Amino acid sequence: MHYDPIKNIFGDIVRRNSRLRILFYKILGLMFLREWYVKRELKHQFSARNEPFTVYDAGSGFGQYSYYIAKQFSLASIYGIDLKEEQVADCNRFFHAVGLTQCSFAVEDLTKIQHSEEFDFILSVDVMEHIPDDVKVFQNFYRALKKNGQLFINTPSNLGGSDVHSQGDHSFVDEHARNGYDMEEIRNKLESAGFRMEMIRYTYGYWGTVAWQLGIKFPLLLLNTSKGYLILLPLYYLVVLPLVLPMMWLDYKADNKAGTGLNVLAKKV
């Protein structure tokens, strides 16, 4: 499935209206379980900070995480990057329009960045599965962080991530360079870059995976077939949401022994 064209549909809808964009952020925050996990970790890491700190949003996309950080943590300065010029320009327009001047965005390639000891925290959400040369990126992240800086990664695991469950299956998202990480693989790659692991855990266990299939996978498959299905989505979610949200909550509260996603926290020492 080609994911980018579908993302562009929603991007085109919310691009010219700040209130609609903020509503879009709220819908993403409700519908995507990964946002529940990411925001919980950000809150855990940032709430006790009492001095200004810098965040590198490595693959900022629509800018929803930069927006969350800027609104929730007044001491944060956020620098978001993406490969897509139109998304970067769009984010700069929006954040300027809503007065979040502590956020700025630029076009950068993570395999080529040259930042050195500039950031206190790097956020990478659903990015590493798109990059073949992940080792180079981990090395660049390490160099970009200040001493004791942290890196948080959300990415698919090899236990069904990208909807790949057996050898020969193809990734649900065609833009993925890998189906998912083995827990030890990503640990070894980060440690070889110099990081010390602080946390690694599975997300999207049984209930989270079922919720994703009902709430995200099936609607995206329909939209990939025809944009016309967009008008049916409100009715679909009216039926499905009462089932999906409790499943997401169960996954969010669970200690998943396995799952299709990974949350990873590492530190530069």
Side-chain angles (χ1 to χ4, degrees):
M1 189 204 77
H2 293 288
Y3 190 31
D4 282 350
I6 296 172
K7 289 169 62 177
N8 292 338
I9 294 173
F10 293 103
D12 291 341
I13 293 173
V14 304
R15 180 165 290 126
R16 296 175 179 83
N17 187 297
S18 294
R19 291 182 179 178
L20 194 59
R21 188 188 189 98
I22 293 170
L23 175 62
F24 178 58
Y25 285 167
K26 292 180 179 179
I27 293 172
L28 290 177
L30 176 69
M31 291 301 306
F32 281 86
L33 180 58
R34 69 177 178 233
E35 288 212 20
W36 297 22
Y37 281 108
V38 171
K39 289 176 180 177
R40 179 170 68 182
E41 191 62 33
L42 293 177
K43 186 175 181 179
H44 178 70
Q45 296 300 327
F46 295 164
S47 292
R49 296 187 183 232
N50 54 19
E51 295 181 354
F53 62 98
T54 53
V55 178
Y56 186 64
D57 189 353
S60 50
F62 290 118
Q64 67 266 37
Y65 295 107
S66 292
Y67 182 81
Y68 171 78
I69 296 169
K71 295 292 286 186
Q72 296 296 318
F73 308 102
S74 59
L75 294 175
S77 297
I78 304 101
Y79 180 63
I81 67 94
D82 203 279
L83 276 175
K84 299 175 183 177
E85 294 183 7
E86 68 277 8
Q87 282 196 324
V88 167
D90 186 36
C91 282
N92 278 320
R93 282 194 300 268
F94 167 74
F95 281 79
H96 177 76
V98 297
L100 294 176
T101 56
Q102 68 270 54
C103 300
S104 61
F105 299 85
V107 176
E108 290 187 358
D109 183 338
L110 292 175
T111 64
K112 299 177 182 178
I113 58 173
Q114 296 296 318
H115 301 290
S116 180
E117 298 186 353
E118 292 185 35
F119 306 103
D120 296 295
F121 196 92
I122 294 178
L123 176 65
S124 172
V125 179
D126 289 3
V127 171
M128 297 311 305
E129 63 270 24
H130 295 271
I131 303 175
D133 193 358
D134 55 347
V135 171
K136 180 64 174 176
V137 174
F138 293 152
Q139 293 169 345
N140 290 344
F141 282 163
Y142 187 85
R143 185 178 61 249
L145 283 168
K146 300 175 185 177
K147 185 177 181 180
N148 296 320
Q150 294 172 299
L151 166 66
F152 179 74
I153 296 172
N154 180 92
T155 192
S157 82
N158 67 326
L159 302 180
S162 305
D163 209 32
V164 173
H165 301 281
S166 62
Q167 189 172 4
D169 284 354
H170 295 287
S171 173
F172 175 68
V173 179
D174 290 343
E175 292 88 353
H176 283 185
R178 62 178 52 80
N179 296 325
Y181 281 99
D182 175 83
M183 190 178 279
E184 288 306 309
E185 174 196 3
I186 195 168
R187 180 194 301 273
N188 291 337
K189 286 181 175 180
L190 286 168
E191 288 179 346
S192 70
F195 285 100
R196 184 184 73 195
M197 298 298 299
E198 293 199 312
M199 176 272 292
I200 183 165
R201 62 172 172 243
Y202 287 111
T203 61
Y204 284 85
Y206 174 78
W207 290 113
T209 299
V210 174
W212 174 79
Q213 290 170 342
L214 289 174
I216 304 299
K217 178 184 177 181
F218 183 60
L220 288 181
L221 286 174
L222 288 178
L223 290 176
N224 204 61
T225 302
S226 171
K227 295 180 183 179
Y229 285 113
L230 188 63
I231 61 174
L232 299 178
L233 284 186
L235 179 61
Y236 175 80
Y237 281 118
L238 187 65
V239 175
V240 167
L241 271 183
L243 300 173
V244 166
L245 292 178
M247 292 179 189
M248 293 168 65
W249 184 85
L250 287 172
D251 195 86
Y252 180 72
K253 291 296 184 179
D255 179 17
N256 293 307
K257 304 304 180 185
T260 62
L262 285 175
N263 278 179
V264 183
L265 184 69
K267 187 174 186 177
K268 178 176 180 176
V269 293

